[in-house]
Amino acid sequence: ITALRMDWVKAAGLGLFVGVSLWNAWQHDFSTVSQAYAYTAGGVLLIVSSAGYLFQEFHLANRDLFWRDLLVWISIGLLVFPLGYLPINLHRFQVAVGEAEYAAWTRPVHLALIYCMYGCFLVGFIRMKRLRKPGNRNHGGNGGNNGSSP
């Protein structure tokens, strides 16, 4: 995917999100009803952005470095959460407008998605490539002094 095409996709997604958010605020009172359409548009934009980044990185990066990249793990977490939470959010919107009854399964699934997302973030921090200062070959932590000179 070229950089120009990605810029166009980002601009179109942002425009769509802003348009849907304004329309949703005009249609429903956000103090009493959740902004389900805006949240859905934002969730879809987040899913497309995360999937696009992962697809691009998977095809460009070294396979060993791919799994050690913090942004890859953050993108995985930001892909998993909205994929599972969008149906929950839409169900809660239907409950709020009186079209459905509350389902007890939504809370444990929501919590599991939160744990999964933050778990991906933690794995990313644990597995990420360590950054070292250029020219610092001594990793002993004493500033390059090995203790033999004053």
Side-chain angles (χ1 to χ4, degrees), residues 10-147:
K10 287 183 220 174
L14 180 64
L16 177 70
F17 175 70
V18 169
V20 169
S21 297
L22 291 174
W23 180 80
N24 200 173
W26 182 63
Q27 290 292 89
H28 296 114
D29 181 14
F30 59 86
S31 64
T32 58
V33 178
S34 70
Q35 301 294 294
Y37 301 126
Y39 188 86
T40 302
V44 169
L45 182 61
L46 185 60
I47 290 168
V48 168
S49 300
S50 297
Y53 176 77
L54 288 171
F55 182 77
Q56 180 180 357
E57 285 298 308
F58 185 75
H59 289 291
L60 294 177
N62 180 350
R63 299 286 191 261
D64 294 331
L65 295 178
F66 179 78
W67 296 111
R68 296 179 65 81
D69 186 1
L70 175 62
L71 289 179
V72 166
W73 286 100
I74 289 174
S75 295
I76 291 171
L78 291 177
L79 181 65
V80 168
F81 183 79
L83 278 173
Y85 188 67
L86 278 176
I88 293 172
N89 192 44
L90 293 175
H91 171 72
R92 288 182 178 167
F93 177 71
Q94 288 178 334
V95 169
V97 296
E99 294 177 3
E101 291 186 25
Y102 180 74
W105 60 267
T106 58
R107 180 150 173 83
V109 171
H110 184 196
L111 290 175
L113 289 167
I114 292 170
Y115 291 140
C116 185
M117 180 181 68
Y118 283 117
C120 288
F121 295 172
L122 287 174
V123 168
F125 280 114
I126 291 169
R127 291 190 49 102
M128 75 179 197
K129 229 177 10 175
R130 302 292 186 253
L131 298 176
R132 294 194 177 103
K133 292 180 184 177
N136 184 8
R137 297 195 178 263
N138 182 6
H139 303 294
N142 59 359
N145 186 1
N146 61 7

